[in-house]
Amino acid sequence: MTPSARIQAAIDLLDAIIASARDGGPAADTLIARYFKERRYAGSRDRRAVRDHVYDAIRRAGERPETGREAMIGLADEQPELAALFDGSTHAPLPIEPGEVGAVAGSVPGWLVPLIAAPVEQDALLGRAPVDLRVNRLKAAPEAVAPLFPDAAPIAALPDALRLPEGYPVEKDAAWKDGLVEVQDAGSQAIALACGAQPGMTVVDMCAGAGGKTLALAAAMAGQGTLIAADTIRSRLARLGPRAQRAGATFIETLLLDQSHEARGLESLNGKADIVLVDAPCSGTGTWRRNPEARWRLTAARLDRLVAEQARILDFAAPLLAPGGALVYATCALTDREGKAQVDAFLRRHAGWTPEAIDLPLGRAHGAGWLLTPGQDGTDGFFFARLRRTAA
């Protein structure tokens, strides 16, 4: 492919990604993979260059553009060498017309700006994310694993964490294949640490998904006790099985819940749990470094639905705790509606709960909880809070 043809390919892909974001279709990575599967003539350098153009354009535009051409012209406004490739040659985009406007640059969609928690450094939300590892203590100690990754650096305050450069191919490494490490963002590791799980406890990971935090809790419990990974989506829970097998965390139990009738499936656990982690569905604003296209999918109506769903999950999770137990609420979101305000609303609805101070060397206090941000902490963005049940 010529450099100009790569620009046109990026425009074509951006058109598909914009339409998919608008209509709730497949993610950008899926669309890119399909595009090149149908175009075997594109070599590895072509694929890499086109992908870079696509993601550079996505990262640059906070608001969803109308067209892929608009997105790429916005990028070309800042990179004159790209503008020169709009030359109208074979397989190339038509020249940029005088006055033709590109997408406006921005990190956050305009409607969302006032909703982002005030301490968040918004310009840092789209930086490139490193690869963070968690050493799996069910199989190895950090001091034994660290030499296996000479390019890794420890992460302050997280005893099991190692940080590798962006794009490091961990899943090709023998240490990953043998279950010595898991890929897990440092912020996610901090939440698992804040849960305070210990051997012999009864712990429920309420929105377990594929089980990243479940596996961290399993390691903290040293494989002893009751650890239940619950979710309403079978395909997500199915991904946990092979991961738990590789990690040696075979004591994990999975519980598939019926959407909208979760409390019915949890009745046998009422009043028995020492810890319940609610890693709730959220806007994903804290994960834009990894998924910048998510900004184009989020709407005010979807945010309203997410906030209502978070409250509903907290309400059916709370009865599971024994007196003295801890409910840990977490979201990979940086809007106060999903974080500080959500916890405040829970405390107004439920008597007999007390928020506990969280003391970690990374992050900062925010309302009744704790805030991690890419700008200050170098992690994905998270809000989490630990609420102690003080009465039955």
Side-chain angles (χ1 to χ4, degrees):
M1 298 174 72
T2 65
S4 292
R6 292 170 178 172
I7 297 292
Q8 183 59 54
I11 290 172
D12 293 342
L13 272 166
L14 284 162
D15 279 333
I17 291 165
I18 289 165
S20 192
R22 182 191 62 231
D23 301 333
D29 275 353
T30 300
L31 294 173
I32 292 171
R34 287 179 186 173
Y35 182 89
F36 285 116
K37 188 175 182 180
E38 296 168 359
R39 293 163 176 82
R40 300 285 186 181
Y41 58 81
S44 60
R45 293 172 65 182
D46 294 324
R47 295 194 298 271
R48 190 180 312 113
V50 172
R51 184 183 176 89
D52 286 348
H53 289 327
V54 167
Y55 275 102
D56 285 347
I58 291 173
R59 286 180 182 279
R60 181 187 171 277
E63 304 281 353
R64 187 177 67 225
E66 291 297 319
T67 66
R69 181 176 172 87
E70 181 183 321
M72 279 305 299
I73 288 176
L75 192 63
D77 286 343
E78 298 174 357
Q79 300 182 31
E81 68 278 13
L82 295 185
L85 299 176
F86 286 72
D87 58 14
S89 61
T90 303
H91 305 304
L94 294 172
I96 300 171
E97 298 287 341
E100 191 173 1
V101 178
V104 176
S107 56
V108 179
W111 69 271
L112 194 59
V113 169
L115 303 182
I116 298 290
V120 174
E121 310 82 9
Q122 295 185 12
D123 289 346
L125 292 177
L126 296 170
R128 302 284 182 172
V131 176
D132 293 344
L133 303 181
R134 178 183 55 79
V135 176
N136 176 22
R137 286 183 181 258
L138 292 175
K139 287 197 168 184
E143 56 270 23
V145 173
L148 303 178
F149 295 94
D151 294 331
I155 301 176
L158 296 175
D160 299 336
L162 296 170
R163 175 160 289 170
L164 289 161
E166 175 204 349
Y168 188 95
V170 176
E171 294 183 3
K172 295 181 180 179
D173 199 286
W176 180 86
K177 293 177 182 177
D178 293 339
L180 306 186
V181 295
E182 285 287 335
V183 178
Q184 187 174 31
D185 180 76
S188 183
Q189 293 186 50
I191 292 170
L193 186 65
C195 288
Q198 298 290 328
M201 284 185 168
T202 296
V203 179
V204 181
D205 186 355
M206 183 59 68
C207 305
K213 293 184 181 67
T214 311
L215 293 174
L217 294 169
M221 296 170 70
Q224 302 170 36
T226 300
L227 175 55
I228 298 170
D231 208 297
T232 59
I233 300 178
R234 187 184 300 274
S235 60
R236 289 179 184 169
L237 280 179
R239 292 164 58 196
L240 172 57
R243 297 181 72 187
Q245 198 72 35
R246 190 179 69 245
T250 53
F251 77 114
I252 296 171
E253 304 172 33
T254 58
L255 179 60
L256 181 65
L257 298 173
D258 184 6
Q259 178 80 41
S260 302
H261 300 285
E262 294 91 344
R264 193 181 303 162
L266 295 164
E267 284 177 347
S268 64
L269 293 167
N270 282 348
K272 296 180 180 178
D274 298 296
I275 298 168
V276 174
L277 170 61
V278 174
D279 184 12
C282 67
S283 64
T285 44
T287 64
W288 285 350
R289 299 187 306 171
R290 305 175 193 280
N291 188 20
E293 169 214 358
R295 296 173 300 162
W296 295 357
R297 293 175 176 265
L298 186 62
T299 65
R302 181 164 180 261
L303 181 59
D304 288 343
R305 291 193 297 271
L306 287 165
V307 170
E309 180 68 358
Q310 291 159 2
R312 189 182 73 85
I313 295 171
L314 281 169
D315 287 347
F316 70 68
L320 305 186
L321 273 303
L327 174 62
V328 178
Y329 171 71
T331 65
C332 51
L334 294 172
T335 70
D336 273 339
R337 288 187 65 194
E338 299 171 272
K340 180 173 68 172
Q342 189 68 268
V343 170
D344 290 345
F346 173 86
L347 293 171
R348 288 193 298 269
R349 291 195 306 274
H350 297 270
W353 294 84
T354 302
E356 288 190 334
I358 294 172
D359 185 17
L360 290 172
L362 71 167
R364 63 196 115 170
H366 189 64
W370 201 254
L371 194 69
L372 297 170
T373 64
Q376 174 173 291
D377 306 302
T379 67
D380 285 349
F382 289 97
F383 173 90
F384 57 103
R386 188 172 59 215
L387 310 174
R388 187 71 60 179
R389 187 169 194 174
T390 55

